[in-house]
Amino acid sequence: MERKQADYSNLDERYTIQGERYQGQQYSHIYYTRLHHMRTLLHALVPSRKPHLPVTTVLGLEEGKDCVLVGTLYKHMKLKPSILDEYSKERSAIPLVKPHNFMHSDDNLILEDESGRVALAGAIPPAAYVTGVVVALHGKETSAGNFLVEDVMEAGLPPQTVLPSINEDKYVVFVSGLSVGSSTFNPLQFQLLIDHITGHLGDENEQAIASKIVRVVVAGNSVHIAPRFLNGQTVAAKDQPRIAEPIKELDIMLTQLVASLPVDIMPGCNDPANFALPQQPLHRCLFSGASTYNTFSSCPNPHQFDLDNVKFIGTSGQNIDDLYRNSDAKDRLEFMERTLKWRHLAPTAPNSLGCYPYTDKDPFLVETCPHVYFAGNQDRYETRLLKGTT
């Protein structure tokens, strides 16, 4: 079986932490960088959307005068967890109930810029937004000191390069949540998947389809290590090999794949990688077998790459999971749409989603629209075609 080939370009440089050095800096820098970048985009929308309105700052508001404000949203959430709650939970005999979603009817939004902050009311539903989103708002200040919103302007989809015309079908396989080592992991199912991808399963028609698979992307949560080994206590010598067993089993499986085609592996929240986004690539020493092949690539999360000039970008799902905890939508795909229209992969970082405290950039800004946007480790498989305006 002759496998199709595709030109691959790795575009992960913006997500790798190399020259940065943590020196006790806080997160104000990343918010300032985000606001500065997005304000330029949003100011450009005002002449076409609201040509008769002036753009002002929070400090420059005048009561009853229509204007446009550009700033970063902060969402005050009644149910949002706090360190004090966690502390009281530890000291209490009755554990606190931890909800999966922190939405409440009393949630409210505040807009903040360099000059100050103002509470929002009117046509901006708190349920649809999260802390960290930069928007432009048309409205006016009320006698109560609030800003009454009449219209919300988001940056919208970023510009996209023309999708190249490809004369033949080529496929990319996305896999996530393997959880090798967990009670739910089925080695037989994974082996069947490997045999299908490598062309060792099925008739000629199925092998012809398999030959068109040009890359496999493993999007996080590949291994499961028992929680009792991760409680901060010293692991007994007899238990140490058991921690490595899932990783060794994953390596054996991946070695079969990389012997046949290129594989990218990304870390997830359950993998042996750093917690904060962007998660750095899993160390190659974990994969003593697969890493000997030049078709094996250990990549960060988020992960960005080109295949035959088709642009891919995606995450292991933490950004979408956090949006689900802090806002409301009809499905996970709508959360993904919002991140593109807000032009930010992880707007809740660093408020409720851990991220590195950058001082001079925000790597999660989406400057060009991908052709394929993916998120791993979700409840079910779903796809949607999103079309922007020209």
Side-chain angles (χ1 to χ4, degrees):
M1 183 180 79
E2 183 177 353
R3 186 172 298 278
K4 301 286 186 183
Q5 303 293 321
D7 293 330
Y8 173 80
S9 297
N10 186 296
L11 304 175
D12 285 332
E13 184 178 356
R14 66 186 301 166
Y15 305 122
T16 56
I17 300 173
Q18 294 178 340
E20 293 85 358
R21 178 177 297 179
Y22 180 70
Q23 297 178 327
Q25 66 265 29
Q26 298 299 306
Y27 288 100
S28 57
H29 299 284
I30 196 169
Y31 280 121
Y32 175 78
T33 302
R34 185 183 308 177
L35 177 59
H36 179 74
H37 176 87
M38 294 300 300
R39 180 162 45 202
T40 304
L41 300 174
L42 291 165
H43 276 196
L45 295 177
V46 175
S48 59
R49 296 276 298 274
K50 308 287 180 180
H52 58 290
L53 295 178
V55 180
T56 186
T57 63
V58 170
L59 194 61
L61 287 175
E62 298 180 27
E63 183 180 335
K65 184 177 179 181
D66 279 69
C67 63
V68 173
L69 273 183
V70 177
T72 307
L73 292 177
Y74 172 77
K75 186 172 182 177
H76 178 73
M77 304 184 70
K78 183 177 180 178
L79 299 180
K80 181 182 174 182
S82 72
I83 188 63
L84 294 178
D85 292 335
E86 296 295 328
Y87 178 73
S88 63
K89 179 181 177 181
E90 290 178 4
R91 296 180 60 87
S92 173
I94 304 174
L96 299 177
V97 177
K98 191 172 184 179
H100 296 291
N101 185 284
F102 305 123
M103 295 287 295
H104 192 274
S105 57
D106 292 341
D107 293 345
N108 58 85
L109 294 172
I110 296 168
L111 190 79
E112 185 178 76
D113 63 13
E114 295 97 327
S115 68
R117 50 168 43 191
V118 62
L120 302 179
I124 181 167
Y129 291 92
V130 292
T131 297
V133 178
V134 181
V135 292
L137 303 177
H138 165 212
K140 56 189 173 185
E141 187 182 21
T142 66
S143 58
N146 296 333
F147 188 75
L148 184 63
V149 178
E150 296 182 20
D151 191 17
V152 181
M153 290 176 283
E154 299 172 351
L157 294 178
Q160 185 184 63
T161 58
V162 177
L163 186 66
S165 58
I166 301 175
N167 300 324
E168 54 184 348
D169 289 338
K170 295 180 182 180
Y171 303 122
V172 177
V173 173
F174 293 97
V175 184
S176 67
L178 293 171
S179 296
V180 177
S182 70
S183 58
T184 59
F185 175 67
N186 189 327
L188 177 59
Q189 289 181 342
F190 192 18
Q191 188 61 55
L192 287 173
L193 173 65
I194 292 172
D195 290 342
H196 170 66
I197 293 173
T198 56
H200 294 102
L201 194 69
D203 57 17
E204 291 184 358
N205 290 333
E206 291 185 2
Q207 290 179 345
I209 294 173
S211 70
K212 298 175 183 178
I213 300 173
V214 296
R215 201 164 201 92
V216 174
V217 177
V218 183
N221 290 1
S222 302
V223 297
H224 174 83
I225 299 173
R228 68 179 183 275
F229 297 135
L230 304 174
N231 58 7
Q233 303 297 320
T234 302
V235 180
K238 63 182 179 63
D239 291 328
Q240 290 179 4
R242 300 183 64 180
I243 297 178
E245 283 175 7
I247 300 173
K248 289 181 178 178
E249 187 174 355
L250 176 64
D251 181 42
I252 292 171
M253 299 288 195
L254 290 179
T255 302
Q256 298 179 58
L257 279 175
V258 297
S260 178
L261 79 167
V263 175
D264 293 351
I265 185 167
M266 303 162 54
C269 61
N270 296 334
D271 293 321
N274 62 303
F275 167 77
L277 295 181
Q279 288 184 290
Q280 298 306 285
L282 295 167
H283 202 287
R284 293 177 67 88
C285 72
L286 297 173
F287 309 100
S288 57
S291 62
T292 60
Y293 290 80
N294 60 9
T295 49
F296 174 80
S297 298
S298 186
C299 305
N301 169 36
H303 179 33
Q304 187 172 350
F305 61 95
D306 278 10
L307 277 177
D308 286 346
N309 294 319
V310 177
K311 298 187 180 298
F312 293 75
I313 189 170
T315 70
S316 295
Q318 293 100 315
N319 58 332
I320 305 303
D321 292 340
D322 202 57
L323 287 177
Y324 167 75
R325 286 189 287 267
N326 293 283
S327 60
D328 190 29
K330 62 179 182 289
D331 54 34
R332 297 296 180 101
L333 289 173
E334 186 174 342
F335 288 128
M336 296 181 69
E337 284 187 30
R338 289 177 186 173
T339 59
L340 288 178
K341 292 177 179 177
W342 294 335
R343 300 200 187 187
H344 202 279
L345 287 178
T348 55
N351 179 60
S352 55
L353 185 64
C355 82
Y356 185 84
Y358 290 94
T359 57
D360 58 350
K361 66 177 181 178
D362 184 350
F364 308 113
L365 289 165
V366 184
E367 297 174 359
T368 59
C369 190
H371 299 114
V372 179
Y373 178 28
F374 64 92
N377 303 291
Q378 301 304 303
D379 297 337
R380 59 183 180 270
Y381 174 78
E382 292 179 310
T383 63
R384 184 174 300 165
L385 179 62
L386 180 61
K387 294 185 178 181
T389 56
T390 56

